Amino acid sequence: MDYQSYFANQRDEHLKELQEWLSIPSISALSAHKEDVNRAAQWAADTLTRAGLEHVEVHPTAGHPIVYADHLHAPGKPTILIYGHYDVQPVDPLNLWETPPFEPSIRDGKLYARGATDDKGQIFLHIKAVEAILKQEGELPVNVKFCIEGEEEVSSPNLPLFLNDNQEKLAADAVLISDTALLEKGKPAISTGLRGLCSLEVSINTANTDLHSGSFGGGVPNALHALVELLATLHDKQGRVSVDGFYEGVPVLSQDMRDEFAKQNFNEDKLRQDLGLDELFGEEGFTFVERTGARPTLELNGVYGGFQGEGTKTVIPKEAHAKITCRLVGDQDPEYILDRIEAHLIANNPIGAKLTIVKGEKAFAFNTDHSHPMLQKAADAFEKVYGTRALFTKDGGSIPIVATLSHVLNAPAVMMGFGLPDENLHAPNEHFNLENFDKGLLTIVEYLKLV
């Protein structure tokens, strides 16, 4: 079958459909968009039905709905569960978008909109690939199931319960996911590892009110000073996290792993120049790709307190706050890590500061064996379409539900991403390169035929 011609002929219609989905502001983190999230779920269900999938269902949860569909008419053939999400990140800061985030725009071969690459654009490829095979051949070469959720951007709180309650319904030989990226243009990758995650919020309180810095300065504790002093204890000068026990469960980076990372031929100087930086920074003794793929981190995501308006206000703030996230690797236990950070903060709390710690999300790291046939066939599919075999990588990001999916269903996760690292996911001007939209469709068809 000539799938290249088929997709070329359908391209305008496919992009029109995708833009319709992208125009729905399905922001799962904001309660004001609950109805929009529901609309996006129903849109997915309707599109799956039109594509020829069966048993299409929109399952309500305690949060946002999960969309299920299947096509199970290939006895004796493998079953592939295709996972994705239709919810998107908030759009702030809105003023940095060149075009409105929910008014999709195509320019310079890229589709701009919130959710274009994360993840509506990528899961859309799977729906259209399955539809194409059914329209061209009347049957699928494998059994296919879809599980598309609406809470991935808020750490999938309700999907684990759905998985546990529906293990037989969702049973599969592999979980196919497109929510990652190529290494760079024309250089496909299959992720065999994702970092875990844990988060916490830290607050410092001093006096019971803000104070005049002339009348009280130098005589009372300053919440901002205390917080900055406390946060500075979390790392040493070499970029290593100073929390006792933080590296427990972190695997030694073997020479084989370092050789695999080196195959990426990553250009650190180009990255530095592209980001407008004088120098890169991180844990001493590791390259950039090793730091971001195989090493744990502790990052400050927000530090705030005191007067932040225009001009000057001579105030000693009574409170200050910080948001912290950690990316975890290997066998690091997120609950243990949070406990160790809490103990460190308490032990180093400055004089006169009252400390409050609120623990947040927790997710284990995910790893899979790149030698598994399901992953090797994915590399074959990439090679057939892109002309170069995919490299097996470890990604620095976290998709907490991947480890859960693989564990509960006892199936390998095949992470075939079609985004690019510079497509601004989670940031203003998110976009999806249409070259990978086109090649992604063909690659998914090839993969479903190979397995």
Side-chain angles (χ1 to χ4, degrees), residues 39-98:
R39 282 199 298 130
Q42 190 59 55
W43 190 98
D46 294 342
T47 304
L48 287 162
T49 300
R50 289 194 300 270
L53 276 297
E54 301 171 342
H55 307 117
V56 180
E57 301 161 356
V58 179
H59 285 267
T61 73
H64 300 307
I66 295 167
V67 181
Y68 172 86
D70 63 37
H71 196 279
L72 309 175
H73 298 285
K77 298 292 185 178
T79 297
I80 307 299
L81 175 69
I82 299 170
Y83 164 82
H85 64 94
Y86 62 84
D87 64 319
V88 301
Q89 282 275 326
V91 298
D92 314 78
L94 189 59
N95 64 298
L96 295 183
W97 287 80
E98 292 182 26

Side-chain angles (χ1 to χ4, degrees), residues 82 118 144 270 297 308 389 393:
I82 299 170
D118 181 25
V144 167
K270 182 178 184 301
T297 66
Q308 300 176 55
R389 189 171 177 78
T393 65

